[in-house]
Amino acid sequence: MKVTVKDMMRHYLNPLHVYCSLTYLFRKEKALRTARKYERRIYKLFVNAFFL
């Protein structure tokens, strides 16, 4: 299986991956709130525009 740029973008832009990355910068609670905001405001729009 060949990994494409689209697959890599899906992985790195996934809200769970964002949350895990944010835990290095923030406490768990703030990282979770930030990841939820990211998912609602950015990720859903991005997925609907590019991956459907």
Side-chain angles (χ1 to χ4, degrees):
M1 183 174 148
K2 185 176 177 183
V3 178
T4 64
V5 172
K6 192 175 183 180
D7 293 329
M8 291 186 335
M9 286 175 59
R10 268 189 230 160
H11 172 73
Y12 287 114
L13 296 175
N14 184 317
L16 180 60
H17 194 280
V18 170
Y19 164 73
C20 292
S21 298
L22 288 173
T23 58
Y24 290 109
L25 301 173
F26 305 127
R27 292 183 176 161
K28 284 184 176 182
E29 296 82 17
K30 186 169 183 175
L32 184 60
R33 280 194 312 263
T34 306
R36 283 181 180 160
K37 288 178 184 177
Y38 161 77
E39 180 179 14
R40 289 184 196 126
R41 296 178 183 171
I42 298 170
Y43 184 73
K44 285 185 180 181
L45 295 174
F46 184 78
V47 168
N48 288 335
F50 293 104
F51 295 123
L52 291 180

